[in-house]
Amino acid sequence: MTSVLILDDHTLVAETLAAALTNDDVTVTAMDVRSEDPLAVLAREPYDFCLLDLDWGHGAFTGVSLIRPIRDAGASCIVLTGTAHEPLYGYCLELGAAGIISKSVSFAELVATIERAIAGESPNSDSEKLRWMLEASSSREVQRARLAPFARLTAAEADVLCQLMAGRNVSEIAAERTVALSTVRTHVHQVLQKLRVQSQLAAVALAREAGWPARLSLDTEEAPTLSAVAPGPTA
C-alpha cells in the first residue's frame, strides 16, 4: 500500500485531490495545516510520497523550506505549484524534490500526472530538470553580480540606504539615529560613490532592482538563498 501526504493550505483543493487519488492501492492524507505541524506529522507516520504546495503557509514560497525535511523523513517530495518560474523549479530540485507538477493544468490532468508519479514515472524529463537547474545556477550568478556593489557598503551606509528606501530624508534619518546631519550626508555620499550613481533616487532604484536587501531569506546548506531564484515582485 502506497501512502501519500498532501500539504496544501487550500483545504477544499487538498481534500478533493485526496479523494481523487485514493484507491485500493493508495491511501491519501490531506493534512489540516491550520491545526497540525507538518514536521510533527512527518515524524509521527512514514509516507511514501508528499505532495507539497509550494506556496504553503503565510508567505511566498514558504513551502520550499519543507522539501529537505520531507526528503529526510523518507518521503519522495513532489512539488505542486502554479508558479511558472524555471529557476525556482531548479532550486526545488537542488533541495531534493523528486519532481515539479504545474497546478495550471486541468484537474483531470493534474490527477493523472500525480498518479503516474506515484506509480514511479517522473513528472519531468531529464532535459527539463537539467534546464531548470542550469536556470537556477544562472539566476544566482546574475544576482551575485547585482548585489556585488552593495557588499562594499559599511553597516552604517547600508542602514542609511535602507532608510532612504523606506522614504525617509536625510534630516529624518539624522534625528532618528541621533547623529549629526553631516554624518548622514557623508554616509549618503559614500553610498552614491560605491554604487556609482548620481542621486539618492538612483541609489534606491538600483537597490530595488537588485532585490537588495534580499526579499526572502531562506538559506539551506545545499543551495544559496531563495531570493536569488524566486520571481521578482509584480507590479
Side-chain angles (χ1 to χ4, degrees):
M1 180 70 72
T2 300
S3 58
V4 179
L5 175 66
I6 300 177
L7 297 182
D8 192 322
D9 54 2
H10 297 87
T11 304
L12 180 59
V13 173
E15 291 179 349
T16 303
L17 188 57
L21 292 170
T22 300
N23 57 47
D24 291 341
D25 299 316
V26 179
T27 61
V28 185
T29 301
M31 198 197 84
D32 186 351
V33 297
R34 297 166 298 180
S35 59
E36 295 183 270
D37 176 8
L39 299 184
V41 172
L42 287 165
R44 186 170 64 242
E45 184 177 344
Y47 290 91
D48 298 304
F49 292 89
C50 180
L51 306 180
L52 173 65
D53 176 19
L54 200 59
D55 290 322
W56 177 87
H58 301 292
F61 314 121
T62 51
V64 172
S65 64
L66 294 176
I67 294 176
R68 286 189 65 209
I70 290 169
R71 183 198 62 186
D72 292 344
S76 179
C77 180
I78 300 174
V79 169
L80 306 181
T81 179
T83 302
H85 191 68
E86 294 190 352
L88 186 58
Y89 293 175
Y91 182 82
C92 292
L93 294 174
E94 288 174 341
L95 295 179
I100 314 293
I101 298 178
S102 172
K103 295 170 70 174
S104 63
V105 299
S106 68
F107 185 75
E109 186 177 349
L110 176 64
V111 171
T113 303
I114 294 173
E115 287 177 335
R116 289 195 296 271
I118 292 173
E121 179 182 329
S122 174
N124 315 115
S125 67
D126 290 342
S127 61
E128 282 179 323
K129 291 180 179 180
L130 177 59
R131 185 178 75 248
W132 295 341
M133 294 180 77
L134 289 174
E135 287 287 346
S137 177
S138 177
S139 290
R140 283 195 293 267
E141 290 302 318
V142 170
Q143 184 74 344
R144 288 190 186 104
R146 286 177 175 172
L147 293 176
F150 298 92
R152 296 194 289 266
L153 301 179
T154 66
E157 292 162 0
D159 179 65
V160 166
L161 179 54
C162 285
Q163 296 300 317
L164 293 174
M165 294 175 71
R168 298 182 179 87
N169 59 39
V170 171
S171 298
E172 291 170 336
I173 297 171
E176 183 176 332
R177 295 291 183 263
T178 60
V179 297
L181 189 60
S182 59
T183 299
V184 177
R185 284 176 174 162
T186 297
H187 290 325
V188 170
H189 177 72
Q190 291 299 317
V191 168
L192 300 186
Q193 278 200 326
K194 291 179 180 180
L195 298 185
R196 297 181 180 179
V197 294
Q198 300 300 315
S199 69
Q200 295 176 29
L201 288 176
V204 168
L206 183 65
R208 287 176 176 162
E209 181 182 355
W212 182 94
R215 296 186 307 274
L216 303 163
S217 57
L218 175 67
D219 291 294
T220 75
E221 295 176 358
E222 296 185 4
T225 56
L226 174 58
S227 60
V229 294
T234 56

